[in-house]
Amino acid sequence: MSPLTPLLLRGLAGPARRLLVPRAQVHSKPPREQIGTLDVAIALTSCFLCILVPAGWVLSNLESYKKRE
């Protein structure tokens, strides 16, 4: 590296430091209702089934998809 490299990098990074990035004003409150363990289990199970069942169907019938008809 040349001795000028740190100066060049500082010169490039200088204007970037002065940019103001707006911060989000997000305030949250405690939930009105607590979600139970059974509700969470049902929700996660249904999400996984909606994703994994079609993928399993395609993988189990892959040979029939490869055949030309």
Side-chain angles (χ1 to χ4, degrees):
M1 274 192 176
S2 74
L4 295 176
T5 304
L7 293 174
L8 290 172
L9 290 176
R10 262 188 252 137
L12 290 173
R17 283 190 210 136
R18 284 178 281 222
L19 293 175
L20 294 176
V21 178
R23 298 188 80 165
Q25 300 294 324
V26 178
H27 302 283
S28 64
K29 298 177 184 175
R32 285 184 226 134
E33 294 182 23
Q34 293 291 333
I35 298 175
T37 307
L38 183 62
D39 296 333
V40 172
I42 290 171
L44 288 175
T45 303
S46 63
C47 288
F48 284 126
L49 285 177
C50 289
I51 293 170
L52 293 178
V53 168
W57 175 268
V58 170
L59 288 176
S60 66
N61 294 311
L62 197 58
E63 291 300 322
S64 64
Y65 291 136
K66 288 181 183 179
K67 293 179 186 174
R68 292 189 179 200
E69 293 178 329

